[in-house]
Amino acid sequence: MEKITLSVQGMSCGHCVQSIEGSVGELTGVSAVNVSLDSGTVDVEFNPNEVTLDKIKETIDDQGYDVQ
């Protein structure tokens, strides 16, 4: 398992948290997702043999947020 912290712009409310945690959490290979509105970050624990970092970033981007 790998853990990564992504900086994400555009998150402002509980719906943002639910949107990202829900969509990223549904990806095969993702075992944990934690969104922090205060710091503007998303912590993801994932299996790189099952899902790529690019796929995780793309999933967040598809929800309308800007991944740094």
Side-chain angles (χ1 to χ4, degrees):
M1 288 299 209
E2 284 189 29
K3 293 181 182 179
I4 187 143
T5 299
L6 302 170
S7 177
V8 179
Q9 302 291 320
M11 302 183 300
S12 61
C13 63
H15 178 269
C16 300
V17 172
Q18 291 176 346
S19 177
I20 292 173
E21 287 182 348
S23 61
V24 175
E26 289 178 357
L27 294 173
T28 299
V30 173
S31 59
V33 183
N34 184 30
V35 175
S36 173
L37 288 178
D38 292 337
S39 62
T41 59
V42 178
D43 297 322
V44 184
E45 186 173 332
F46 66 101
N47 182 338
N49 295 323
E50 295 182 33
V51 64
T52 64
L53 179 56
D54 285 342
K55 180 63 177 174
I56 293 168
K57 289 180 177 180
E58 177 185 315
T59 301
I60 295 171
D61 187 61
D62 287 349
Q63 295 298 313
Y65 306 101
D66 185 26
V67 181
Q68 302 296 309

